[in-house]
Structure formats: C-alpha cells, structure tokens
Amino acid sequence: MAPEARNIAKGIVMAVGILAAVTLLLYLLWELQTVILYLFVALLLSLIGKPMARFFRTKLKLPNTGATIATLSIFLLFVALFVYMFIPLISSQGKNLSALNPSELQQRATLLWTQLSTFLESYGIDSSKLATQSGVASKLNLDFVPDFLNHVLGAVSGFSVGLASVMFITFFFIKDRVLFVKAAKALIPESHEEQILNSVEKINDMLSRYFLGLLLQLLIIFVMYLIVLLIFGIENPVIIAFICGVLNIIPYIGPVIASILAALLTMLSHISNDFRSETLPITIYVLIAFSVVQFIDNNISQPFIFSKSTNAHPLEIFLVILAAGFLFGILGMVVAVPLYTAAKVVAKEFFPDNELVQLLTRRL
C-alpha cells in the first residue's frame, strides 16, 4: 500500500474511532443522566451548605463530621417543613386542577377567546373573523393539562430515593472537601498549582453566596406572588405562585412568562358573561400587581444579590445574560451568571496584568 493511501486509511480509522468514542460518551451520559443530576444537585447543596458548615466548625467548635451532619440536618429540616406545609396543599390543588374535565376546560378557554374577540371587535379589530379563518377555536385542545399535572404530582410524590441519594453525595462533598483538594493537587501541574487552587477557592465562595442569595430571592418573590393571588381570590394560589416563582430563575424572560401564565389562569378562573367589566379588570389588576412585584425584584432584591455575590456591574450582568441567551437559549441565560463569575476569577488569577481583565475584575 502506498504511503498516501496508508495515511488516508489511518485518518479514516482515527476519525471512526473518535466518532465511536463520542457516540459512546453521549450514550453513557444519556443513560446516567439521573446520576449526573444527583451529582449536580449535590454540588449545589454543598456550595449552599459551605457557609453553614464553616459556622458550625469555627463558631460552635464542632468537628468536621459533626458540622457536616448539622448542615445536612438543616437541609432535611427545610425539606420536612416544605413537605409538611406545602406538599399537601400543592397536591390537593394540583389534584383539583388535574381532575378538571378536559372538555370543560376547553369550553371555558373557547368561551374566553370568544369574549376576548368580542371585546377587540368593539375597537375595530376583527379578531373573530381571523380566529374563524385560522381555526384557532376549533384547534384549541387542552387535553394535555390534566396529564401534565398528574406527571408533576407523581414526580413530587416519588422523590424520596433521589433525596436520599443527593443527601448521601452531599455529605461527602462537604465532609471530604479537603481530600478533594489534596487529590486535585496530585493531578494539577505544580507550575499552576497555586493559581488553580486559589481560583477554585474563590469560585467556591462566590458561588456559595450567589446560590444562597438566589434561594432568598425566590422565596421573597414566591411570597409576594402568593399575596397578590390571595388578594384577588385566584384559584390554586400556592401552586401558581410556586410555578411563577420558579420561572423567575430564567432572567428577563421568566417574569414575562409568569405574568402571561397568571393572566391566563386569572381569566379562566373569572369567566363571566360580562368580560369588559368583570374578567378584564381583575386580569389587569393582577398584571399590574405582578409588574409591581417584578419591579421590586428587578430594582431592589436582584441587584443587591448579584452585586454582593458576583461583584459585577448590572449592565455587565445584563449583557452577559443577553449574549448567553442568543447563543445557548434559556439554559444559557440560567447558567450565564455563575459561569461568567467563575471565568472572571480564573482570568484574574492567570492574566492579572491584562488591562481588560483588570477592568472586568476590579471589584473582585
């Protein structure tokens, strides 16, 4: 075989081997996605629990194992309180929603669309004709709602195995943190050992503050949403406030989705014969109240949390989230801030003399 042909054959074999290795890796990641999820949740809990464990070790003089057990006990206490206080209520409300007759729900949605069309026609917008031509009313199908809620309730009721696994992994993440650092020292090159370990330590501290602040922010906005829904007598307020609060994790887009969801559920729960004077006003009031909640969150709680945890300018955070959203979608927007914070820490350790790095990391 000629040398050129031999080289081509080697290249083909290498390409096939790389393709097979990547395929196998993707297959393993897919099959082990539950384990990866457990590891990810355990890592987040270890970051959140790090300040607690440090407090137990330094202030209460507990040994490392005792401090770790105390930290996990706090996590389990919060889980128990959540289950005791919220799960029965959410479950009962979810069952009420899932027990809805799909045809009845569809009729209510169709009636709402008809009333909305009539209202718009009074202002010269022929939405009724447009709906008839496009077949929106006939294509409106809400059969998926009860099934979706039943799946959610099943996931909530069957999380005990996952909880035990996550707590077990979290225990060793917190307890044996020093061992992990020693293992890392054996793997990383000595020339960059100090820089890498300093970066890891700073990232750990900043992300711990970030996720603690994020939990506090979600709790605050959940309570405010719940108060709004209770004031206006919206059905199933706890589960709606919980879903809208979780949506707030998605920067900028999440609050918009939460407002749209709240508006739709408000109209569905307050359908009457007089759309203009009954259904529409209460929906507008709910939207205004949600806007006030989001204004408070965007201008008070969120900037305070981000400034304290990431030491970044609000415009800087906005541009990072916007770019991540265009490049990687919603997932990119969710992980943009912690990843950007970690990248800044690494850049400051390895390129401290770079002018751009100095500008971006001047607050670190």
Side-chain angles (χ1 to χ4, degrees):
M1 182 182 293
E4 293 183 0
R6 189 180 298 110
N7 290 334
I8 294 175
K10 287 182 179 179
I12 294 175
V13 171
M14 183 177 296
V16 172
I18 293 174
L19 180 61
V22 171
T23 303
L24 179 61
L25 177 61
L26 293 176
Y27 172 76
L28 290 175
L29 291 176
W30 175 260
E31 291 295 324
L32 298 175
Q33 57 182 309
T34 302
V35 177
I36 295 173
L37 177 62
Y38 290 167
L39 289 171
F40 179 73
V41 175
L43 178 61
L44 291 182
L45 289 178
S46 66
L47 290 173
I48 295 171
K50 181 186 175 183
M52 303 180 197
R54 184 190 297 122
F55 172 81
F56 287 125
R57 285 194 301 266
T58 58
K59 301 298 183 180
L60 301 183
K61 305 302 180 181
L62 292 180
N64 186 37
T65 302
T68 303
I69 293 175
T71 303
L72 290 184
S73 298
I74 293 178
F75 286 149
L76 291 174
L77 178 62
F78 275 104
V79 172
L81 288 174
F82 179 81
V83 171
Y84 178 76
M85 295 177 62
F86 291 103
I87 292 298
L89 185 58
I90 292 176
S91 178
S92 62
Q93 293 185 349
K95 287 178 180 177
N96 290 336
L97 284 173
S98 62
L100 286 173
N101 188 338
S103 61
E104 178 185 351
L105 187 61
Q106 184 170 336
Q107 289 174 3
R108 294 175 67 179
T110 304
L111 176 61
L112 176 63
W113 174 257
T114 302
Q115 292 179 343
L116 181 61
S117 299
T118 304
F119 172 75
L120 294 176
E121 284 178 0
S122 65
Y123 289 92
I125 302 175
D126 195 1
S127 58
S128 179
K129 181 179 179 181
L130 180 63
T132 303
Q133 292 176 347
S134 60
V136 172
S138 61
K139 294 178 182 178
L140 190 60
N141 191 340
L142 299 177
D143 290 352
F144 73 93
V145 174
D147 293 336
F148 171 76
L149 290 168
N150 283 327
H151 285 304
V152 172
L153 292 173
V156 170
S157 62
F159 82 115
S160 56
V161 175
L163 176 63
S165 301
V166 167
M167 288 299 169
F168 183 78
I169 299 171
T170 305
F171 175 81
F172 290 103
F173 276 3
I174 298 176
K175 174 180 174 293
D176 295 332
R177 178 175 167 274
V178 176
L179 294 179
F180 293 148
V181 173
K182 290 181 179 179
K185 286 183 177 180
L187 295 175
I188 60 180
E190 293 184 2
S191 57
H192 298 293
E193 179 179 311
E194 183 179 356
Q195 294 170 314
I196 294 175
L197 293 180
N198 287 340
S199 298
V200 171
E201 186 66 23
K202 291 180 181 178
I203 291 171
N204 202 322
D205 289 336
M206 296 187 72
L207 292 185
S208 295
R209 296 199 305 268
Y210 173 77
F211 287 115
L212 279 172
L214 185 61
L215 287 178
L216 177 61
Q217 179 200 10
L218 294 181
L219 177 61
I220 292 172
I221 201 166
F222 164 75
V223 172
M224 290 193 293
Y225 279 154
L226 181 60
I227 292 173
V228 169
L229 297 173
L230 289 173
I231 289 175
F232 292 102
I234 307 302
E235 297 177 359
N236 309 296
V238 174
I239 191 170
I240 295 175
F242 181 78
I243 294 174
C244 292
V246 172
L247 285 172
N248 204 68
I249 294 177
I250 307 173
Y252 308 117
I253 296 178
V256 175
I257 299 175
S259 298
I260 295 174
L261 176 64
L264 290 175
L265 293 176
T266 299
M267 288 189 289
L268 285 173
S269 62
H270 286 79
I271 291 181
S272 64
N273 294 327
D274 194 343
F275 178 83
R276 184 190 298 268
S277 63
E278 294 184 21
T279 305
L280 183 61
I282 194 171
T283 303
I284 293 176
Y285 294 151
V286 170
L287 284 175
I288 292 174
F290 266 54
S291 299
V292 172
V293 170
Q294 291 162 10
F295 177 83
I296 295 173
D297 178 64
N298 292 332
N299 294 277
I300 299 177
S301 60
Q302 196 174 93
F304 178 79
I305 291 170
F306 283 164
S307 64
K308 292 295 182 181
S309 60
T310 64
N311 296 322
H313 193 277
L315 179 60
E316 184 181 351
I317 294 295
F318 174 78
L319 293 176
V320 168
I321 293 175
L322 189 65
F326 277 112
L327 293 174
F328 306 106
I330 291 178
L331 180 61
M333 298 178 73
V334 172
V335 302
V337 173
L339 289 182
Y340 176 66
T341 302
K344 286 206 304 182
V345 171
V346 173
K348 184 173 184 178
E349 285 293 328
F350 283 88
F351 309 102
D353 298 327
N354 184 278
E355 293 183 1
L356 178 60
V357 172
Q358 290 178 352
L359 177 64
L360 294 176
T361 62
R362 64 188 184 279
R363 297 184 180 184
L364 292 180

